[in-house]
Amino acid sequence: MSGPLRLVPDEGGAERTMQLRTLPLKLRRTAPPEPEPGPEEQLDLSADPLDELAERLHDVCADAVHPYEIAAFLESDGLSDEQAALLYGRPDAFTVAEELFEKVERRYPGQSSEFANPWRADPWRCVVRGLVFALPGLGYLLGANLFATARMRFGLPSGMLALSIATLVSWGFNQALAHRSYRWLGRLRRREAAVCLAVGAPLGALIAAAAAYVVGGPLGALCFAAGQSCYLGAATVLLVLGREKFLLVALAPASVGAGVVLAVDVPETVRTVVLLASLLLAVGLAVRELVVCVRGGERESVELRLPLRQEVPHLLFGLACGALTLIAGLGETIHQAVQAASHTVHGAAAALPHHHHVREVKTTPTGPAMIALTLSLGLAEWLLFRYRAMAVAALRTSHTSGQFTRRTGGVLLGCLFIYLTTVAALDAAATVLWPGAPALGVPQLGAMLLLGGSLWLALLLNAFGFSWSTALICLAAAGAESAGLLTGADPIVLQLIGCGAAAVLLTAIAGPALGRTTQHR
């Protein structure tokens, strides 16, 4: 994914909070002097001061599903325990909230046109985003001749390792860059977001290309890695600024060219020209959009700084997602290389012939599965919005906090089931259409579904601010799988254990955390 979702689309961002006027009016302005009460009035006891507050906060208290919601409103407006004792004769703010909850009759407004779905997502936009996530994979068909497939290095076609490292660096850097840009957009500063992208996207492409050069490989493979790094930077710009259709236009030459390559043999020069056409289109459209945003936006008079440390968990999360995805796609090939090297060292067997490695890469069943996973990312985004919409609806219709927790838990499981079912269906269709692809076995399918489920849960928790938890869990799973793969363990078993453990931990966090009403206010 290009970046985290804003808490409420088209609003001022995560930091924008609801401001309430909960304290008595006499604390906010000086009331006019009242006439002295008569003797009869002096004999009467004054009414409970809490009644006035209950009347003023009637709507808030009537909609609350738990006293803690009222307590949160009171504390956000500055009501301390000392003020609760002085003004209302209660020991603390929580006691005030509990009595208000009892005084005011429950009123659950149910769904309405205004509040039923504040999370509106355009389904067609999600379809387009799913396409722009999947179509870049066709570029590997056009650029296959740029890799020295007759030579092997670290168990992969020469140059593939450099491309993999560049991909990891780009994913991690661009994930952090997108998050920082979304933070600027959340504060309604589109110009600052464009400046951030204008500086960060070229820097990320340069770092990724340099990493590929350090690893080394054939010149053609290094050029391909540099072009991919530039494309990913341009794609991040267009996705963050909401220009998915521009990116679809840029991918048109590579998509058409890949279709032609599957039908007939195309000279390498023509393939390279087609790849360059898509790259130049993507970069050109990204530059055009940045220029429009920078020139069209006004410089804010109030200077605002965003600390860089908040991007660290998103950088780690991008690296972890890239590592888990690469292991799912290349794990079997790396496993065979490790096994061959081990046999050679111990004299048990000779290393596998080079052409055998290449054949396994082409016939691995993970190819269609990876296509299915990337195509499903558009649906994953739509389901994130759908979960938020249904959670807000449950917040307005639940009578108790326990009922709300059960409803949001059911919504979470339902969205996850829909996503995984779609991934399985897409994988079945891709396997049928992929020329010569073997059927995906139950263990392979299980590993792929666990990976998809873990990534979707991590993205959902990221949207609610649990960035460090998701980053560390995914990073631990990626590290464990990488270490096991290098020691010769079966990659499918590693994925079942690593992604399975990550899915369990993320579910254990998501259930209680997202079942709290305060997370959805």
Side-chain angles (χ1 to χ4, degrees), residues 54 60 120 147 192 258 273 342 347 365 399-400 413 457 489:
V60 174
R120 297 177 179 86
F147 296 90
E192 284 78 0
V273 170
S342 176
H399 292 192
T400 64
L413 294 177
L457 288 170

Side-chain angles (χ1 to χ4, degrees), residues 198-473:
V199 175
L203 179 62
L206 180 61
I207 294 175
Y213 178 80
V214 170
V215 174
L219 179 60
L222 296 180
C223 292
F224 187 90
Q228 175 188 262
S229 303
C230 293
Y231 167 80
L232 290 176
T236 300
V237 171
L238 293 174
L239 288 172
V240 170
L241 297 180
R243 297 294 185 262
E244 297 86 359
K245 293 181 180 179
F246 288 178
L247 193 56
L248 198 61
V249 171
L251 289 170
S255 303
V256 175
V260 174
V261 166
L262 290 175
V264 297
D265 188 19
V266 178
E268 183 176 347
T269 303
V270 177
R271 298 186 181 196
T272 305
V273 170
V274 172
L275 285 173
L276 287 175
S278 283
L279 174 61
L280 294 177
L281 273 174
V283 173
L285 291 172
V287 171
R288 173 186 177 275
E289 190 63 26
L290 288 174
V291 171
V292 170
C293 292
V294 172
R295 289 183 176 177
E298 297 181 358
R299 186 182 296 274
E300 297 289 341
S301 58
V302 179
E303 185 178 357
L304 180 63
R305 295 182 181 275
L306 301 180
L308 283 173
R309 64 177 178 275
Q310 296 187 18
E311 320 307 337
V312 174
H314 299 278
L315 172 68
L316 298 177
F317 177 68
L319 290 173
C321 289
L324 290 172
T325 304
L326 287 177
I327 291 173
L330 300 175
E332 186 63 32
T333 303
I334 298 175
H335 172 68
Q336 291 177 1
V338 172
Q339 291 292 98
S342 176
H343 291 167
T344 301
V345 170
H346 293 87
L352 293 175
H354 295 164
H355 70 275
H356 183 72
H357 289 283
V358 177
R359 183 180 60 83
E360 290 296 331
V361 173
K362 291 181 179 179
T363 60
T364 177
T366 58
M370 297 307 296
I371 292 178
L373 191 62
T374 52
L375 278 174
S376 69
L377 291 179
L379 174 66
E381 285 197 357
W382 183 83
L383 287 173
L384 292 177
F385 282 102
R386 187 60 182 164
Y387 172 82
R388 297 301 299 266
M390 297 180 72
V392 171
L395 184 64
R396 296 186 57 80
T397 56
S398 299
H399 292 192
T400 64
S401 57
Q403 186 181 37
F404 173 76
T405 301
R406 290 190 296 272
R407 287 185 176 181
T408 53
V411 171
L412 177 64
L413 294 177
C415 291
L416 190 59
F417 175 78
I418 292 173
Y419 177 65
L420 296 181
T421 303
T422 304
V423 171
L426 288 174
D427 175 69
T431 302
V432 172
L433 298 175
W434 188 281
L440 195 66
V442 174
Q444 291 87 350
L445 179 61
M448 190 61 58
L449 294 181
L450 285 174
L451 172 61
S454 300
L455 295 182
W456 189 84
L457 288 170
L459 291 170
L460 179 64
L461 287 171
N462 269 341
F464 282 92
F466 296 90
S467 54
W468 272 111
S469 300
T470 56
L472 293 178
I473 290 174

Side-chain angles (χ1 to χ4, degrees), residues 19-59:
Q19 298 178 355
L20 300 172
R21 300 181 179 90
T22 57
L23 295 183
L25 294 177
K26 61 185 178 182
L27 293 180
R28 298 185 176 275
R29 62 175 182 267
T30 303
E34 296 182 358
E36 291 291 332
E40 296 81 0
E41 294 176 346
Q42 292 181 0
L43 295 177
D44 293 336
L45 295 176
S46 61
D48 188 347
L50 206 63
D51 292 338
E52 177 192 357
L53 187 60
E55 181 179 354
R56 288 164 31 74
L57 292 182
H58 182 274
D59 292 340

Side-chain angles (χ1 to χ4, degrees), residues 168-179:
L168 282 178
V169 174
S170 293
W171 282 9
F173 189 94
N174 288 325
Q175 182 75 16
L177 175 63
H179 180 262

